Amino acid sequence: CVGCVWWGFDWFTEWFNLLGLSLYASKRKTMNFAKIQAPIIYAYHLEPTAISCSNSYVTDLGFILSSDLDPRLHIELICCKAF
């Protein structure tokens, strides 16, 4: 439910503001994981700033996640760092 996610973002942003923390929308990315060729794309926002969407891959906590959930890109980049 897109509306539920939107409500979650608003609540999350308010909670961070109450704690005196900042969410940098410019550092955030969204990615769609789907088996269909044309998934529904939704533009997410944190306050007035739109969160950019990545169509290829994102890095989260050191893991490289591709939109097709194939681990080869992550393994390749980790192996290249080892040499």
Side-chain angles (χ1 to χ4, degrees):
C1 152
V2 173
C4 298
V5 172
W6 177 251
W7 175 84
F9 279 148
D10 284 345
W11 180 85
F12 191 67
T13 304
E14 285 182 32
W15 181 62
F16 257 61
N17 290 337
L18 285 173
L19 294 173
L21 301 173
S22 299
L23 288 172
Y24 297 103
S26 61
K27 293 184 177 183
R28 308 289 165 242
K29 290 190 185 270
T30 62
M31 177 177 277
N32 293 313
F33 299 99
K35 291 185 177 185
I36 59 176
Q37 293 293 329
I40 298 171
I41 307 296
Y42 183 79
Y44 294 101
H45 293 80
L46 281 177
E47 295 181 340
T49 308
I51 300 174
S52 64
C53 182
S54 175
N55 295 324
S56 55
Y57 71 92
V58 294
T59 303
D60 188 23
L61 298 173
F63 291 98
I64 299 167
L65 301 168
S66 61
S67 59
D68 60 357
L69 296 176
D70 187 356
R72 283 183 270 183
L73 179 61
H74 176 75
I75 293 168
E76 182 179 321
L77 291 174
I78 294 300
C79 290
C80 288
K81 285 183 180 180
F83 291 104

